[in-house]
Amino acid sequence: MPAPLDAPCSRRLPSVPRPPSFSRPLPPIPRPLSCKQCKTCITSYNALLPPSAIPSDRRDFRGFSGKASLFTETYNVTLLGPKVQLMQTGAHMLAEIHCTNCDQYLGYKIVRAFEKSERWKEERFLLEMAELDNPYRTHRLDSSDSEEDSS
C-alpha cells in the first residue's frame, strides 16, 4: 500500500546542479572618479583617453567651466539631446552629461565633430574636472595630462 501524501518521504531526490551564484559584489572600479555633489561613481582614470590617441598639438582641454579631460567610458550618467555648439576648434554636436543620481552637470559627449581634423574626438566624453571628485586621492591630473581648448 502506498504511503499517504502527507507522510514524510524516506527517499532522497538526486541533487540538481545549481546555477552559479550572482550575489557576489562586482569588483571596485580602479581609481574611480565620482560626482562631486553626490559621490556617485562616474568613470575611472583607466578610461582616460591615452596621450597616444590625442594629436600632440591638442593636449590641453577646456570645458565650459575650466580644465577637462577626454574619457572613453562613463557610468551612472544621463545624456541630454545633442545640440550643435560652435567651439574654438569648430562646430561640434554635443550632448550634455548629467549625474543620474543628483542631475549635476558633469561635461558633455562629443557626438559629432564637423571639422575633419577634429573627428578623432567623436564618441568621447569630455568631463569637467571641477565637477568630479577622486574619493581615494591616489592620482592627480597634471596640466600636462589633459585640458581642452573649448572642445
Side-chain angles (χ1 to χ4, degrees), residues 2 6 9 11 31 33 43 52 58 77 85 90 98 113 117 119 128 134 140 143 146 150:
D6 57 345
C9 185
R11 275 189 329 163
R31 299 180 353 184
L33 285 167
T43 190
S52 60
R58 296 188 176 108
V77 297
Q85 180 79 30
H98 289 258
S117 63
R119 294 249 167 100
E128 310 260 354
N134 179 356
R140 191 176 130 260
S143 60
S146 293
S150 290

Side-chain angles (χ1 to χ4, degrees), residues 28-133:
I29 294 175
R31 299 180 353 184
L33 285 167
S34 57
C35 173
K36 198 168 223 170
Q37 186 169 330
C38 69
K39 308 301 184 217
T40 300
C41 182
I42 302 300
T43 190
S44 79
Y45 281 106
N46 293 353
L48 190 62
L49 195 65
S52 60
I54 303 171
S56 60
D57 60 335
R58 296 188 176 108
R59 297 273 167 99
D60 294 333
F61 295 98
R62 296 199 65 72
F64 293 118
S65 65
K67 290 181 180 183
S69 293
L70 280 176
F71 291 85
T72 58
E73 296 177 340
T74 57
Y75 319 98
N76 304 313
V77 297
T78 303
L79 294 175
L80 299 184
K83 296 178 183 174
V84 175
Q85 180 79 30
L86 187 59
M87 311 297 273
Q88 287 180 354
T89 55
H92 292 74
M93 187 175 291
L94 308 176
E96 276 192 22
I97 300 172
H98 289 258
C99 176
T100 301
N101 192 38
C102 68
D103 202 36
Q104 173 70 26
Y105 166 78
L106 300 171
Y108 49 88
K109 178 180 181 180
I110 302 169
V111 178
R112 182 161 184 229
F114 293 99
E115 299 287 328
K116 274 189 175 180
S117 63
E118 301 297 313
R119 294 249 167 100
W120 62 273
K121 295 179 192 175
E122 290 182 351
E123 300 301 313
R124 308 288 189 207
F125 302 91
L126 190 119
L127 298 175
E128 310 260 354
M129 298 313 289
E131 306 300 333
L132 298 176
D133 185 38

